[in-house]
Amino acid sequence: MAIHNITRDLFVLRDAINQNQQTVTSQLAEIIKAVKTKDNGRPELETRASPESNVTADDIQAGALNSTNGTPLHAFIQEHFEWIDQALLINIVSKKMEIKDLIKLIPEEDRPSKGRPTAGLATGIHIDTASGKVQAVGESLNTHEKDIPDLKILLYILSIYGAIRSLYDIEHTGIGAAITYFTTHLIKWDRVDGYQFKHTRAYFIGHFRKYQRSSNSNDWMKIDEQLFIKHMRSPPETTPFPSSPNKRRDTGSSQPQICRNYNDEQKGCSFPTCHRRHICSTCNNDHPAFKCPKRGNKHSN
């Protein structure tokens, strides 16, 4: 009889232990769930909305980030970029900026169009209410050639644009650094390769339209070969004709010109889509000028 009672007690104890284990396991699961979630029940590691989603005025006002000195981002923008209105800021952050608004990134007093009486007017007939003078504003006065006349203005625009994109880079894509690197292409084409600015500007506008909404920073760091072929043109050859300095050199319009960088030992041509001929500028053979045997003979005499 005693053995029976002991066996019964053991089964009761086993059931109690199993029940307690289930209770403890359930409690642990609730604790883990509470740790992994916020008070509102949303996951703590929830992915932020992509910058490509619709951005509202409230989003801009609240400020997605803080600046490095702890100042709320919207206050930082108002302090350092006070000429950027809210509508323009929303368009920048949401990646919906139009080409015609690029000039608004520069303070009004620094814009090249300042002082132009027709600046900012829509195409058509305009009547001055004070003087009664009638003005016809054509497309030529509203194009980017007037707003972005040279490389300095373009770099000014890109520096402001890149700074704002960097401040709102909540996904840490490095877009600000990529836009800064993009400017090195523009500077090289102007200062080293000698391309006319109208071609550089045309490439930039095509690039901006194509990649403004891209979240891949590599799109801003690389050269788009299709856009380069479409917009860039080789600069004119300026080397004077050897036998007659005052006579205009026949550049041979029927074939590409000789690449100067290829013939320069210090520079060299590293551009993958160079349209000039990689031949010797001294004897027209398949070697650069600094390796030309004829040039060596000339120096040895």
Side-chain angles (χ1 to χ4, degrees), residues 122-275:
T123 303
I125 303 298
H126 296 267
I127 302 176
D128 189 328
T129 55
S131 63
K133 182 179 179 181
V134 178
Q135 287 182 299
V137 179
E139 289 290 344
S140 60
L141 294 178
N142 292 277
T143 56
H144 41 263
E145 286 86 351
K146 298 292 184 181
D147 289 335
I148 313 177
D150 53 47
L151 182 64
K152 292 182 290 186
I153 293 297
L154 178 54
L155 296 179
Y156 197 163
I157 289 171
L158 278 173
S159 65
I160 302 298
Y161 180 75
I164 295 177
R165 287 291 304 273
S166 180
L167 287 170
Y168 283 90
D169 184 18
I170 63 175
E171 292 187 333
H172 305 291
T173 63
I175 191 65
I179 293 173
T180 299
Y181 183 82
F182 174 79
T183 63
T184 64
H185 298 312
L186 308 181
I187 296 171
K188 181 178 182 295
W189 293 341
D190 181 81
R191 305 299 300 173
V192 179
D193 298 330
Y195 287 101
Q196 296 182 37
F197 178 69
K198 64 180 181 181
H199 302 311
T200 302
R201 179 178 53 215
Y203 176 92
F204 160 72
I205 291 173
H207 188 101
F208 189 86
R209 285 173 174 157
K210 186 173 182 178
Y211 294 115
Q212 177 186 190
R213 304 206 67 180
S214 173
S215 298
N216 186 354
S217 59
N218 287 330
D219 289 336
W220 277 91
M221 299 184 72
K222 68 181 183 181
I223 297 175
D224 187 297
E225 291 191 8
Q226 291 183 342
L227 290 175
F228 186 91
I229 294 173
K230 179 179 179 180
H231 296 294
M232 302 301 289
R233 299 291 181 271
S234 297
E237 183 66 54
T238 57
T239 304
F241 192 72
S243 61
S244 179
N246 296 325
K247 183 177 179 180
R248 181 177 299 177
R249 181 176 179 178
D250 182 7
T251 57
S253 59
S254 61
Q255 59 183 344
Q257 299 168 359
I258 297 175
C259 179
R260 288 175 293 175
N261 287 344
Y262 172 77
N263 284 278
D264 190 321
E265 185 176 8
Q266 301 299 323
K267 296 181 180 179
C269 181
S270 59
F271 198 78
T273 57
C274 181
H275 300 290

Side-chain angles (χ1 to χ4, degrees), residues 53-124:
S53 59
N54 292 330
V55 179
T56 65
D58 292 338
D59 296 329
I60 298 297
Q61 186 66 23
L65 302 170
N66 287 335
S67 65
T68 53
N69 62 0
T71 304
L73 185 55
H74 72 277
F76 183 86
I77 293 291
Q78 290 175 357
E79 179 181 358
H80 298 283
F81 304 98
E82 66 276 4
W83 64 91
I84 303 291
D85 60 33
Q86 192 175 75
L88 180 61
L89 184 59
I90 290 175
N91 286 337
I92 297 171
V93 177
S94 62
K95 307 173 190 176
K96 297 178 181 179
M97 191 174 182
E98 296 185 23
I99 298 296
K100 66 179 180 62
D101 291 332
L102 285 170
I103 192 61
K104 296 179 182 179
L105 290 169
I106 299 179
E108 187 173 358
E109 63 272 16
D110 295 340
R111 298 173 191 174
S113 58
K114 187 177 185 299
R116 257 197 305 128
T118 55
L121 295 180
T123 303

